[in-house]
Structure formats: C-alpha cells, structure tokens
Amino acid sequence: DVKVTQSSRYLVKRTGEKVFLECVQDMDHENMFWYRQDPGLGLRLIYFSYDVKMKEKGDIPEGYSVSREKKERFSLILESASTNQTSMYLCASWGQSFYGYTFGSGTRLTVV
Amino acid sequence: QQQVKQSPQSLIVQKGGISIINCAYENTAFDYFPWYQQFPGKGPALLIAIRPDVSEKKEGRFTISFNKSAKQFSLHIMDSQPGDSATYFCAASIGGSQGNLIFGKGTKLSVKP
C-alpha cells in the first residue's frame, strides 16, 4: 500500500514562529499536495508539486511556502505562524493511476 | 465554475437506512468524479469513483449515480451501518484521474444504531 507519512500528528506553535510540516511518500509518486481542512470549508489546496523543485500555488497560498528537494518529500513552511493558520493540514500524493490521491493522517496545528 | 457544491453539510440516518449525498458542478470539462471517506483522526481515503461515460457504479453497499445532463452526481449508501459514520467528500477533476481534484465541502454522516 502507498503510504504518506506526516511527521507530526499534533503541533503547538507560537505566533511568529517559523513552522515546518513534513510529508514523505513511499511510492515514487510525481505529484504531491498540501491541503488545509477547516470545519465547513472542506479541503482547500495550499500548494502542489509535479516534480522535484517544482511548485504551484493552490487556492490559498498566502502565508505559506513549500519545498521539494527530493521526490519523496514535500515540506510546507509557515514563514511566520499566525492564529488564523490553526488548522488540520493534510498532505497527499498520486501517481499515474485511477486510484486517486493517497492522503496522510494529517497534522493538527495550533498557533497560540 | 471550478466549484463542486455538496449537500447536505450533515446527515443523520438510522441503521439500515439509505444515506444520500449530492454534488453538483458547472464545468462540463470535468471527467472524473471520485468520492472520499474520512474517519476521525485519519486522512480522506478513496471510496469509489466514476467517469461520465457511465450513469451508475456500484461497489458493495456504495453506489455513485451520475446525471450528466443535470451536472449532478450522488453517493448512495445502502443498509447504512454505524461504521459508515464519517465525513464524505465528493470531488471532480479535468484530465481523468491525472487532474487536480476540486473537492466539495464535505458531509458529516452519523448512522444511529
């Protein structure tokens, strides 16, 4: 089975801190995604990447950046965390198949 | 035009009943329509998917009905069980399963014993 692993299940950070969320997939997938999930708002795409060192903005990129130095790893960076970035963050990957996205279990980030 | 509108936001069904979740879209270029199921504390997982060249796809108790002319598709869960309690997301993409998914806002389903 494809595995997408997010390094932390829960994180608490202070306002203004630089925050790194890490995601690793083990199936050599080209495409990786970062979403945030908030009640009533569903899944909103922050950034995605089609290949190493490539990145594309999603629907809500403001306040975030990403890094993909290796194919299996996609990092989400909050340059200066703010309380409105308190959310569940989900990483996903997919390859060339009908089997859709594979999501990680998520990181619940609280910014205080 | 890129949106996928999902309803209802929440749904309570008795055990053994039928759960129905609806989604509507505007962009006729969408050509892949998956449903994802998310249990608490987990990421969403692909449940079932359909392409617009068929009107229905069934996998066990889960059925997608697709109405191309109305630009609507729905998930039916027959004989709903408490273990089906989860959040369900519909989605759509252009370019088949290789396109970026546009997700609906989700439906929280509770199946009462």
Side-chain angles (χ1 to χ4, degrees), chain B residues 24-94:
Chain B
Y25 62 97
E26 288 296 322
N27 191 342
T28 55
F30 286 142
D31 59 3
Y32 172 65
F33 302 90
W35 285 89
Y36 282 76
Q37 179 188 53
Q38 183 183 29
F39 293 108
K42 301 286 187 183
L46 179 65
L47 181 64
I48 187 173
I50 197 169
R51 296 192 190 279
D53 52 347
V54 297
S55 60
E56 186 175 281
K57 183 173 181 180
K58 186 175 182 180
E59 290 185 2
R61 295 184 294 108
F62 299 90
T63 300
I64 299 179
S65 296
F66 185 80
N67 186 329
K68 191 173 182 178
S69 60
K71 292 184 284 186
Q72 295 176 347
F73 57 110
S74 60
L75 177 69
H76 295 235
I77 306 174
M78 311 300 287
D79 187 26
S80 298
Q81 299 296 312
D84 297 329
S85 297
T87 299
Y88 293 82
F89 293 95
C90 64
S93 71
I94 301 169

Side-chain angles (χ1 to χ4, degrees), chain A residues 31-58:
Chain A
N31 309 285
M32 297 187 75
F33 304 81
W34 275 106
Y35 289 86
R36 65 177 282 177
Q37 182 176 13
D38 300 287
L41 297 178
L43 299 168
R44 292 183 292 168
L45 181 63
I46 304 172
Y47 267 97
F48 60 101
S49 170
Y50 287 126
D51 203 348
V52 175
K53 295 192 186 294
M54 295 184 68
K55 60 184 179 184
E56 297 284 345
K57 292 180 179 179

Side-chain angles (χ1 to χ4, degrees), chain A residues 22-92:
Chain A
E22 305 288 344
C23 176
V24 177
Q25 51 96 1
D26 65 358
M27 280 299 290
D28 201 35
H29 282 173
E30 297 81 10
N31 309 285
M32 297 187 75
F33 304 81
W34 275 106
Y35 289 86
R36 65 177 282 177
Q37 182 176 13
D38 300 287
L41 297 178
L43 299 168
R44 292 183 292 168
L45 181 63
I46 304 172
Y47 267 97
F48 60 101
S49 170
Y50 287 126
D51 203 348
V52 175
K53 295 192 186 294
M54 295 184 68
K55 60 184 179 184
E56 297 284 345
K57 292 180 179 179
D59 299 320
I60 52 164
E62 295 78 19
Y64 304 95
S65 62
V66 290
S67 173
R68 194 164 181 202
E69 296 297 319
K70 294 184 177 181
K71 191 174 186 179
E72 68 270 19
R73 187 180 297 270
F74 192 35
S75 303
L76 180 68
I77 304 158
L78 285 67
E79 297 291 342
S80 178
S82 63
T83 55
N84 63 12
Q85 292 179 309
T86 291
S87 186
M88 170 69 82
Y89 289 89
L90 289 162
C91 176

Side-chain angles (χ1 to χ4, degrees), chain A residues 1-16:
Chain A
D1 282 353
V2 177
K3 266 195 174 172
V4 176
T5 303
Q6 295 184 229
S7 55
S8 305
R9 291 299 304 273
Y10 301 94
L11 274 179
V12 180
K13 296 292 181 181
R14 294 194 180 278
T15 300

